[in-house]
Amino acid sequence: MISQCDAELRFFVAAGRGRTIERCSFGTAMLAAFIVAQALDGVLTYLGIATFGTSAEANPVVAWYVCAFGVGAGLVLVKALAIGCAAALHATEHHRTLAGLTVLYLAVAVLPWTRLLWL
């Protein structure tokens, strides 16, 4: 099955239009930004748990995974699930939703860990 982005890219090549590439690039950039945000959150969460213990994790789902599978494996599983869901959003072309979730993650996960660990 060809995604709309792939089909539009083929149309772009045939018709010589540039707008489609911008939309595909935005979606790919949002997916990449989400993956970077997840990686940052994973590393910072690992450092936070190593420093303050599992009680420092505010997300009960993440805390359960960490307690059930250990810090490393639990975080990898949770982050893999989040990235898989982001890939599904990207594949269904919900790029603005993905952008909003990226900003939300940076604001409520990465920034608080950064402040707690280094300020």
Side-chain angles (χ1 to χ4, degrees):
M1 181 175 182
I2 298 174
S3 74
Q4 183 178 353
C5 191
D6 290 337
E8 289 176 356
L9 183 58
R10 289 183 183 156
F11 178 77
F12 165 79
V13 172
R17 298 188 180 172
R19 185 173 178 196
T20 301
I21 293 296
E22 293 172 13
R23 185 168 44 196
C24 293
S25 296
F26 174 75
T28 303
M30 289 306 98
L31 180 61
F34 186 86
I35 292 169
V36 168
Q38 290 298 310
L40 285 171
D41 182 43
V43 169
L44 293 171
T45 302
Y46 184 87
L47 292 172
I49 290 173
T51 304
F52 303 109
T54 56
S55 62
E57 177 54 54
N59 184 332
V61 174
V62 175
W64 183 86
Y65 271 86
V66 166
C67 289
F69 299 104
V71 178
L75 288 173
V76 167
L77 288 170
V78 168
K79 297 304 164 189
L81 176 62
I83 291 170
C85 291
L89 286 171
H90 177 66
T92 57
E93 300 186 10
H94 288 89
H95 300 133
R96 285 188 224 157
T97 302
L98 193 52
L101 288 171
T102 301
V103 171
L104 181 69
Y105 247 96
L106 291 171
V108 302
V110 174
L111 183 62
W113 274 124
T114 303
R115 294 182 81 189
L116 183 64
L117 290 167
W118 284 289
L119 296 179

